[in-house]
Amino acid sequence: MDYKQQVADVLAPALPELAMADILAKIEQPKTSKQGDLAFPTFALAKIMHRAPQMIAGDVVEKIDQTNFEKVVAMGPYVNFFFKKADFSADILAQIMMDGAHFGDAKLGNAGQVPIDMSSPNIAKPISMGHLRSTVIGNSLANILSKIDYKPVKINHLGDWGTQFGKLITAYKMWGSEAEVKADPINNLLKYYVRFHKEDVDHPEMDDEARDWFKKLENGDEEALALWKWFRSESLKAFQKIYQRLDIQFDSFNGEAFYNDKMAEIVDILESKNLLHESQGAEVVDLSKYDLNPALIKKSDGATLYITRDLAAAVYRKRTYDFVQSLYVVGNEQTNHFKQLKAVLTEMGFDWADEIHHIPFGLITSNGKKLSTRSGRVILLDKVLDDAVTLAHQQIDQKNPDLANKDAVADAVGIGAVVFHDLKNERMNSFDFNLEEVVRFEGETGPYVQYAHARAESILRKAGSPKLTAANQQLSDPAAWDTLKLLSEFPATIVRASEAYEPSIIAKYAIHLAKAFNKYYGNTKILVEDDDLNARLALVQSVSIVLKEALRLLGVKAPDEM
RNA sequence: GUCGCGGUAGCUCAACUGGAUAGAGCAUCCGCCUUCUAAGCGGAGGGUUGUGAGUUCAAGUCUCACUCGCGACACCA
């Protein structure tokens, strides 16, 4: 039921000087339910009618048909509408009971495909907290889009090509061993790489050798290629372990190397359209009309660059998926790159360039400084997840020692805390890494939401997991009101999150709902035999369903007990 | 220097398209487990929303200037 429209319908006859659209646009949601459920400010009318807004509000209330509302009152310059709680609760609870986890589904995407470029770690380097953001934001957006009928395609654009592989092969040949790499691929490959950068300061000839090896790799040299493939597959195995912990699956691992043979066509197109110009020995596309620096397509030595590869990837994705949108969940510091990318595609005549969206996010720093693999200043994601799970275990031992499935719950809670922490704030916010804060279990955290869900489940178990009927779901208890209203806002919240590409909107919603429910739980005895029992249980069930679904959209599990 | 992002309570952050007394969490202090999981609930203190103008009936939100922090500025990705 559209309550906003209902309010507008009764307002319209009392306000002949305003069009329906204007009335609808002005209706707003008060900050607290003391001020009602919807409100209409009369300031705009004051000007037209040359009267004080307070008086207008009073008059409007007199003229209005109040039969469909609990009450309509003038509070200062506002007309405040209070819904009939019993009817409202019956509506929303029946809806959620009926839809279950599908509550909030919408047919907005028309099954259009949406590739999402996300995670994209570099081969032979560990996954750090920095990668977590791209990974969990991308995953959550995929879940959100999927819920409103888009078809997301999660693409892990691996950093599996580039001059660093020349360095890595050089370093491996000097200090590495097969046994070491097999034992612990990421750490040992990283060790070689870091050592290379330490020693090449004094031994510049190492750089020449690295260049040679990369050249060999590009020319298909057997030894170089074999090493590269091996490094790649060992790294991927290690990555998959982390993705499993996060419960994230990808649809494609086509990384940079995948586009090696697809860039020539891009250069051809650019040439045929006369877009390529020589500048200081390099080939560039002039973008001055977009107020951007020229895009460097080919280096002076003829080698291609990052943007050339991304152009090839963009074209490939359009052809392969015929996408309706193409998303890139990549750090804020690459904003310019994506502006250039879109500009070049536009110059090439691809009107679908408009459907490419860079989804930027803020930087994670450590002690205020940018993370850097080379300098060894990394925060390993695996380590953070381990710490979080260990802490979760301790909490369980302390608070619920008899719990079954301790390990699974500790995983869900510990990892959920880390993921939720990364998603709960606007993605553009930067933050300095702080372990205690990331794995916090109290206050506005993932575990707080999980806890509310587990409490709801616990009540339902105690009630004997009843089959709730759609009847008798009128709940007029004011203590339940905030929870009921929040439940009703879930579908609109999903749409808002999808439009802003902002998982934090869902996370904040989950916190609000959990908070409202915890408050209700703390002040109201639910399991008492009276006329409202069925309605209260329906409320508890609905909260459980919606909390679990909100967490799922974020990529966080909701254990039934914890 | 140019462009981008940000500056809200001691700390971390909210505030949907401009609206009512700027809200939470953490930390500090005080209450609540013989009642459905205390990972919880209730209460207290804590603010010139970076500064200064402007637009508006109304500005944390829009405009301009200034300021501080971070980032990007063609041969890395």
Side-chain angles (χ1 to χ4, degrees):
Chain A
M1 185 169 299
D2 190 344
Y3 290 88
K4 200 169 179 179
Q5 185 64 53
Q6 212 175 58
V7 167
D9 285 343
V10 296
L11 275 170
L15 300 169
E17 42 282 280
L18 288 183
M20 180 62 91
D22 294 328
I23 296 174
L24 273 170
K26 282 284 170 198
I27 294 172
E28 61 187 76
Q29 202 168 7
K31 283 193 177 119
T32 75
S33 29
K34 283 180 209 153
Q35 295 166 326
D37 304 311
L38 284 175
F40 181 79
T42 57
F43 303 106
L45 285 164
K47 215 166 189 184
I48 307 172
M49 301 166 70
H50 303 289
R51 297 186 59 206
Q54 288 81 353
M55 300 188 62
I56 299 172
D59 285 357
V60 168
V61 168
E62 294 303 314
K63 288 188 213 160
I64 267 182
D65 174 13
Q66 302 200 10
T67 48
N68 286 321
F69 298 92
E70 184 182 287
K71 59 178 172 176
V72 180
V73 294
M75 297 172 88
Y78 288 85
V79 181
N80 295 52
F81 295 80
F82 293 76
F83 300 160
K84 285 186 171 168
K85 294 183 174 56
D87 293 353
F88 184 92
S89 85
D91 262 13
I92 186 63
L93 294 179
Q95 181 81 48
I96 299 172
M97 295 284 100
M98 198 165 68
D99 293 349
H102 289 290
F103 179 62
D105 285 9
K107 296 281 174 202
L108 297 174
N110 298 314
Q113 302 214 70
V114 182
I116 305 177
D117 188 306
M118 54 184 270
S119 198
S120 312
N122 294 316
I123 295 300
K125 290 185 193 170
I127 295 192
S128 75
M129 276 303 283
H131 292 107
L132 180 67
R133 304 214 78 183
S134 171
T135 309
V136 297
I137 292 170
N139 183 57
S140 177
L141 290 178
N143 292 336
I144 292 167
L145 290 173
S146 177
K147 190 158 176 75
I148 56 173
D149 196 34
Y150 285 93
K151 300 291 173 210
V153 182
K154 288 181 273 186
I155 300 177
N156 197 329
H157 190 77
L158 296 171
D160 60 1
W161 200 254
T163 49
Q164 73 268 24
F165 285 94
K167 295 174 186 172
L168 193 59
I169 293 174
T170 305
Y172 174 76
K173 304 268 303 175
M174 289 174 79
W175 314 300
S177 78
E178 193 174 332
E180 264 190 352
V181 174
K182 282 219 163 116
D184 186 356
I186 300 285
N187 283 326
N188 284 311
L189 290 172
L190 177 68
K191 190 176 79 185
Y192 307 151
Y193 186 72
V194 170
R195 182 165 171 190
F196 182 98
H197 278 285
K198 226 180 249 169
E199 300 205 3
D200 79 336
V201 181
D202 299 320
H203 302 278
E205 71 276 6
M206 284 167 58
D207 287 322
D208 295 335
E209 201 181 332
R211 249 190 299 279
D212 277 356
W213 270 113
F214 184 57
K215 198 103 204 157
K216 281 190 194 172
L217 184 59
E218 282 196 300
N219 293 335
D221 174 89
E222 222 169 276
E223 186 185 6
L225 212 55
L227 282 172
W228 172 78
K229 276 187 183 157
W230 182 48
F231 294 159
R232 189 182 189 276
S233 68
E234 290 297 327
S235 296
L236 204 48
K237 270 189 234 165
F239 294 160
Q240 286 290 19
K241 279 189 200 155
I242 293 194
Y243 293 134
Q244 260 166 35
R245 299 187 78 177
L246 295 170
D247 197 20
I248 292 176
Q249 296 82 34
F250 291 90
D251 300 298
S252 163
F253 284 93
N254 289 338
E256 292 170 15
F258 180 76
Y259 299 99
N260 282 343
D261 62 357
K262 297 174 180 60
M263 287 182 283
E265 187 197 347
I266 298 299
V267 176
D268 285 349
I269 297 174
L270 289 168
E271 268 168 358
S272 73
K273 301 211 169 184
N274 256 328
L275 293 168
L276 236 36
H277 306 289
E278 204 243 285
S279 169
Q280 297 171 36
E283 303 268 338
V284 306
V285 177
D286 181 74
L287 298 175
S288 49
K289 72 167 150 176
Y290 299 89
D291 231 1
L292 291 169
N293 284 329
L296 246 184
I297 302 297
K298 267 184 168 180
K299 299 205 275 190
S300 38
D301 67 1
T304 55
L305 279 133
Y306 177 36
I307 195 160
T308 322
R309 208 171 285 274
D310 266 6
L311 287 166
V315 169
Y316 175 83
R317 287 173 194 175
K318 183 62 190 175
R319 286 179 186 158
T320 307
Y321 305 111
D322 190 28
F323 58 69
V324 294
Q325 291 178 52
S326 183
L327 309 184
Y328 293 79
V329 186
V330 179
N332 167 35
E333 66 275 12
Q334 291 194 37
T335 297
N336 266 320
H337 166 73
F338 286 102
K339 280 186 185 162
Q340 289 185 320
L341 182 72
K342 288 178 72 162
V344 174
L345 288 168
T346 304
E347 284 295 282
M348 291 168 85
F350 298 129
D351 55 354
W352 46 263
D354 292 339
E355 304 311 328
I356 286 181
H357 302 294
H358 175 213
I359 314 298
F361 53 82
L363 212 58
I364 298 185
T365 53
S366 174
N367 296 317
K369 285 182 186 164
K370 198 175 172 179
L371 306 175
S372 153
T373 316
R374 273 191 211 182
S375 65
R377 198 173 47 249
V378 284
I379 301 164
L380 301 180
L381 177 55
D382 225 8
K383 173 79 166 56
V384 173
L385 296 182
D386 283 347
D387 290 346
V389 171
T390 304
L391 263 161
H393 250 294
Q394 288 170 9
Q395 294 279 313
I396 292 167
D397 286 337
Q398 199 184 318
K399 301 180 187 222
N400 198 355
D402 301 326
L403 181 67
N405 311 315
K406 274 190 193 177
D407 288 346
V409 174
D411 266 19
V413 172
I415 292 168
V418 175
V419 172
F420 194 92
H421 175 268
D422 216 339
L423 292 175
K424 82 170 175 186
N425 291 136
E426 262 175 73
R427 55 178 160 70
M428 279 304 289
N429 290 1
S430 294
F431 71 89
D432 200 65
F433 179 80
N434 176 325
L435 184 68
E436 290 97 80
E437 213 164 281
V438 170
V439 299
R440 185 157 272 163
F441 296 154
E442 291 163 0
E444 297 174 338
T445 64
Y448 176 88
V449 179
Q450 290 173 320
Y451 185 63
H453 168 265
R455 281 176 137 185
E457 281 300 312
S458 174
I459 290 179
L460 295 169
R461 272 196 308 276
K462 283 249 157 69
S465 306
K467 281 262 177 277
L468 297 167
T469 56
N472 301 324
Q473 283 165 3
Q474 290 88 356
L475 195 56
S476 47
D477 182 359
W481 190 233
D482 284 341
T483 306
L484 281 164
K485 274 207 297 183
L486 277 165
L487 286 172
S488 77
E489 287 165 23
F490 187 50
T493 304
I494 295 165
V495 173
R496 203 148 53 83
S498 75
E499 285 169 350
Y501 303 106
E502 190 56 272
S504 70
I505 291 176
I506 303 285
K508 275 171 204 135
Y509 171 83
I511 288 174
H512 288 143
L513 180 57
K515 198 176 283 188
F517 176 69
N518 272 333
K519 186 172 183 169
Y520 176 67
Y521 178 100
N523 297 312
T524 308
K525 178 83 179 157
I526 292 160
L527 292 178
V528 284
E529 289 290 341
D530 65 15
D531 292 348
D532 283 344
L533 179 61
N534 187 75
R536 282 196 304 272
L537 286 173
L539 176 72
V540 172
Q541 173 95 284
S542 298
V543 167
S544 173
I545 288 169
V546 174
L547 282 181
K548 185 171 191 164
E549 184 63 3
L551 288 174
R552 185 189 68 79
L553 293 177
L554 298 171
V556 174
K557 295 202 174 99
D560 286 345
E561 287 181 76
M562 62 187 274

